[in-house]
Amino acid sequence: MKPIKMVDLQTQYLKIKTEIDSAIQDVIDTTAFINGPAINALKNILKKYLNVKHVIPCANGTDALQLALMSLDLKPGDEVITPTFTFISTVEVVALLGLKPVFVDVDPDTFNINVDDIKNAITDKTKAIIPVHLFGQCADMEVIMNIARENNIYVIEDNAQAIGADFNFADGNTMKAGTIGDIGCTSFFPSKNLGCYGDGGAIFTNSDELADKLSYIANHGMKIKYHHEYIGVNSRLDTLQAAILKVKLQYLDDYIAARQKAADYYDKAFTIEPKLKIPQRFAKSSHVFHQYTLQAIDFSRDELIDFLKEKQIPAMIYYPVPIHLQKAYQHYVKAGENYPISEHLSKVVFSLPMHTELDEEQLEYITNSVLEFLNK
Ligand SMILES: *Cc1c(COP(=O)(O)O)cnc(C)c1O
């Protein structure tokens, strides 16, 4: 059996090595390292894949979120609603810009932001909501967009984990994750569903005005060279990474299918096990399984993780501490605010290996090992 990894980027690379190597060599041959032709080419194929009007590549997913907030003319003290059960970037950028993160609890089944709690968190200072499509399926974007429109609030989707997922609206319309809000942000970090070979990110929008502004802000606020209209940052995607992503985007749907197949295998093995809660599939969204995350019911997940480790099976905890309990973010939490679901999840969740290269032999070994522990 091949060694089991949380994410197996090497096997994935070897299958497309010829194409990737030649794409990289092309960039080196032309030495167009910054803003080379692969950048525009990637923009165009991503626009087509996502059916979105504008794609603005940038240096990483965290920058994408920061740029998105910078484009909205917010003032210090303005409030931005985020889930507390997420990766730190979602909240970090809000704090960095002097805005005030307002935390909201999540749904115990989908791990995504609780839409009822969003309504309660809105004040006259609320300017934006950042729903996170955690682990690969969309938050309830239909309800979130309705709340946002009623209250004149921007929506920035943190789509670092769900690129390629489809959201289905009640009227039968389908849109890709990251193209529904005013702005969508993604990460091309190597382990993400569409990962490059270093850091990378992108921003999506259907607004011409925001797209213009975002592209300037990402490049020192320059509209015309050496004329600075906005205070910007230096956040570009390398041409090398764009060339790699151009190759990998062709395989994204196959990669998603491979992840879904692995998730189906896990579901089937675990669904009858009363000590495990399998990840719920949200009816309004497809699930692209960035992570396969289970909940431990009345047993120590840490003991299970140790047991699996002895069997050379990695497992991870995403995320062990919700943001409102993180030391650096304590002062944003008002006395009396509670986030019981996020706190509970942080104690019971664990994620099994999930990537595009898992084979049946590995999946059988993983699932048997988990069940062996539970039935000891
Ligand atoms: C990975 C990730 C990010 C940040 O992306 P980077 O490219 O690592 O900066 C933001 N939000 C979520 C939910 C993520 O998983």
Side-chain angles (χ1 to χ4, degrees):
M1 187 170 59
K2 262 190 313 177
I4 297 171
K5 299 178 184 169
M6 219 37 217
V7 180
D8 186 351
L9 295 174
Q10 194 164 27
T11 308
Q12 190 192 56
Y13 162 63
L14 290 174
K15 288 184 180 164
I16 53 171
K17 183 179 182 337
T18 327
E19 275 179 284
I20 292 277
D21 290 2
S22 102
I24 292 173
Q25 194 58 52
D26 278 353
V27 176
I28 298 173
D29 287 342
T30 58
T31 67
F33 298 120
I34 302 292
N35 254 328
I39 295 283
N40 237 328
L42 174 69
K43 271 166 87 165
N44 287 330
I45 56 171
L46 256 177
K47 276 190 242 177
K48 212 166 144 205
Y49 177 82
L50 295 169
N51 192 21
V52 71
K53 220 164 153 192
H54 303 281
V55 171
I56 299 102
C58 64
N60 57 66
T62 310
D63 274 10
L65 290 162
Q66 182 181 328
L67 291 162
L69 285 168
M70 287 174 77
S71 73
L72 298 180
D73 289 324
L74 306 181
K75 288 179 289 303
D78 281 351
E79 294 178 359
V80 178
I81 293 174
T82 75
T84 182
F85 190 68
T86 181
F87 181 61
I88 196 67
S89 298
T90 320
V91 183
E92 186 176 53
V93 292
V94 176
L96 267 178
L97 293 173
L99 306 166
K100 191 181 162 217
V102 173
F103 304 121
V104 162
D105 213 347
V106 296
D107 180 279
D109 296 324
T110 63
F111 310 109
N112 278 326
I113 193 163
N114 182 316
V115 288
D116 294 320
D117 290 356
I118 293 178
K119 288 178 207 156
N120 298 328
I122 292 174
T123 72
D124 52 11
K125 284 200 173 146
T126 309
K127 292 290 151 57
I129 308 171
I130 312 184
V132 181
H133 305 318
L134 204 70
F135 303 150
Q137 71 184 344
C138 294
D140 194 337
M141 288 305 293
E142 183 147 31
V143 174
I144 292 169
M145 292 312 291
N146 287 337
I147 297 173
R149 285 193 192 105
E150 274 165 31
N151 293 278
N152 217 1
I153 297 169
Y154 290 109
V155 175
I156 300 171
E157 296 174 72
D158 182 341
N159 192 32
Q161 301 190 1
I163 195 157
D166 289 309
F167 185 85
N168 309 307
F169 289 85
D171 65 2
N173 191 21
T174 292
M175 287 172 94
K176 286 279 185 204
T179 69
I180 304 162
D182 298 285
I183 303 176
C185 299
T186 205
S187 164
F188 301 127
F189 188 82
S191 63
K192 299 286 156 91
N193 286 26
L194 178 61
C196 61
Y197 291 0
D199 277 305
I203 309 164
F204 316 124
T205 183
N206 285 306
S207 155
D208 297 341
E209 200 184 317
L210 286 174
D212 253 8
K213 203 164 165 194
L214 284 162
S215 61
Y216 302 139
I217 294 173
N219 188 24
H220 300 298
M222 281 195 303
K223 211 161 183 170
I224 302 161
K225 204 159 195 185
Y226 305 126
H227 292 70
H228 305 273
E229 192 128 335
Y230 309 102
I231 296 173
V233 296
N234 173 8
S235 184
R236 290 177 292 242
L237 181 71
D238 290 343
T239 311
L240 277 168
Q241 302 303 345
I244 291 160
L245 288 165
K246 230 179 85 196
V247 174
K248 288 189 70 180
L249 182 56
Q250 299 171 268
Y251 299 100
L252 180 56
D253 285 339
D254 296 337
Y255 290 158
I256 290 171
R259 287 171 178 275
Q260 288 168 337
K261 199 173 156 207
D264 288 344
Y265 192 102
Y266 282 142
D267 276 1
K268 218 170 138 200
F270 297 142
T271 192
I272 48 150
E273 172 52 62
K275 290 182 190 152
L276 293 174
K277 181 166 171 181
I278 62 171
Q280 183 180 295
R281 317 284 184 107
F282 178 41
K284 295 188 191 175
S285 170
S286 64
H287 200 323
V288 296
F289 284 100
H290 177 58
Q291 299 297 346
Y292 186 87
T293 302
L294 290 155
Q295 296 180 48
I297 299 169
D298 295 331
F299 70 91
S300 158
R301 77 173 165 192
D302 296 339
E303 280 172 27
L304 169 62
I305 291 172
D306 288 344
F307 178 84
L308 293 175
K309 204 169 171 186
E310 268 169 37
K311 296 189 162 267
Q312 322 294 326
I313 300 168
M316 296 287 285
I317 297 170
Y318 304 115
Y319 296 94
V321 184
I323 314 294
H324 72 277
L325 295 180
Q326 299 284 353
K327 190 170 168 220
Y329 294 83
Q330 288 298 298
H331 59 291
Y332 292 112
V333 185
K334 274 191 240 132
E337 275 177 356
N338 295 307
Y339 306 95
I341 307 293
S342 298
E343 287 178 24
H344 173 71
L345 289 175
S346 67
K347 294 187 191 108
V348 299
V349 290
F350 63 99
S351 300
L352 293 176
M354 174 49 77
H355 54 78
T356 59
E357 311 303 321
L358 283 164
D359 61 36
E360 288 231 354
E361 191 186 6
Q362 293 174 312
L363 287 165
E364 191 184 356
Y365 178 70
I366 298 167
T367 51
N368 283 345
S369 302
V370 172
L371 295 172
E372 182 190 331
F373 172 85
L374 293 175
N375 296 300
K376 256 195 314 194

